[in-house]
Amino acid sequence: MTTLQRDPYGSGGGPGPVTLDRREGPYGEVVLRRRGAGDGAVHEIIANGCFLMDTSDGRSERLLVDAALAALPADRPGPSVLIGGLGVGFSLARAAEEPRWGRITVVERERAVIDWHRAGPLGAVSERALADPRTEVAEGDLLHHLRTAPVRYDALCLDIDNGPGWTVTDDNGGLYSPAGLAGCRERLTPGGVLAVWSARPSAEFEGALRNAGFEGVRTEEIAVARGVPDVVHLGQRAA
């Protein structure tokens, strides 16, 4: 970890957020910052200058996992889930809280993010989940994993961008392309569920899911303090 420093991008009359770590990764710069102190401290992840997520709420990240599980048949034994993006850990923690899940795989391409969970402040969210014997963390590119993994999953819960139309890096756009969505469908078991987190609703993405062969396409919303709601887009592979 780097030495603590005041972030030059802080605004307002007081000191800005504290930068805990700043690294150059394979896809650009990633930054971990802290706002506030003590029990009220909030940690946030910035990628290439773009705010990704923080620990202030987490309801929509939990919904990502809950909605996928609810869409699966209740009698499906030990369904497996792939979580695309470790983030601040809310989705992983939620999955590990649910005894119905069997294998829990997390794919994260940034070594820094994994380190912030295993030996940093984000462990406050994910420590128990990472210790769960069902959990496996795979460091690597999500698109590559979806193309090459030797197994299928009952659910794919993807949260690697601010949404299908607001990607962190240009190459992430391939995930939401017709070929990318077809690859997601093929990585699912029959009746499996794709859940995609987004910072805003997208009727266009709903159409893309239907065009890619997903059934039961729908969007679930979580209200936020200001602006449009966070959403989870859902689609199911035919049984």
Side-chain angles (χ1 to χ4, degrees):
M1 287 247 175
T2 59
T3 303
L4 295 185
Q5 56 184 301
R6 291 294 179 187
D7 193 288
Y9 301 108
S11 59
V18 175
T19 295
L20 302 179
D21 197 10
R22 183 189 301 274
R23 300 193 201 177
E24 284 296 328
Y27 304 93
E29 183 188 68
V30 287
V31 178
L32 178 67
R33 303 195 309 191
R34 185 185 68 233
R35 289 184 282 111
D39 293 340
V42 172
H43 292 90
E44 57 189 23
I45 296 175
I46 313 294
N48 294 317
C50 179
F51 172 85
L52 282 186
M53 58 185 65
D54 64 25
T55 58
S56 64
D57 192 337
R59 286 176 299 161
S60 57
E61 290 92 339
R62 296 182 184 102
L63 174 64
L64 179 71
V65 174
D66 290 348
L69 184 61
L72 291 170
D75 59 354
R76 182 170 295 203
S80 58
V81 57
L82 181 148
I83 299 173
L86 179 55
V88 296
F90 286 131
S91 294
L92 170 60
R94 188 62 154 199
E97 288 171 357
E98 174 53 63
R100 274 188 62 194
W101 288 117
R103 178 166 42 95
I104 302 169
T105 302
V106 183
V107 179
E108 173 56 57
R109 69 183 188 178
E110 296 288 353
R111 164 52 59 178
V113 173
I114 297 173
D115 290 346
W116 297 336
H117 282 273
R118 293 202 180 278
L122 297 183
V125 176
S126 61
E127 182 178 14
R128 291 181 63 182
L130 290 172
D132 192 302
R134 297 170 296 168
T135 299
E136 174 193 8
V137 178
E139 181 182 354
D141 178 72
L142 177 62
L143 277 168
H144 178 75
H145 185 90
L146 290 170
R147 286 193 297 263
T148 62
V151 296
R152 288 183 174 179
Y153 300 91
D154 296 296
L156 303 178
C157 297
L158 309 185
D159 183 7
I160 63 170
D161 292 299
N162 282 319
W166 190 357
T167 58
V168 176
T169 56
D170 291 340
D171 55 336
N172 280 2
L175 178 64
Y176 313 109
S177 69
L181 292 176
C184 289
R185 189 190 66 238
E186 292 305 309
R187 190 53 54 204
L188 288 167
T189 58
V193 178
L194 172 65
V196 179
W197 188 93
S198 179
R200 59 170 68 100
S202 173
E204 182 181 45
F205 186 62
E206 287 188 354
L209 288 171
R210 295 187 181 96
N211 291 337
F214 285 94
E215 300 180 347
V217 173
R218 64 192 186 280
T219 298
E220 298 194 16
E221 298 185 352
I222 286 286
V224 297
R226 295 186 298 274
V228 297
D230 293 342
V231 303
V232 174
H233 294 292
L234 295 153
Q236 203 151 4
R237 178 174 178 169

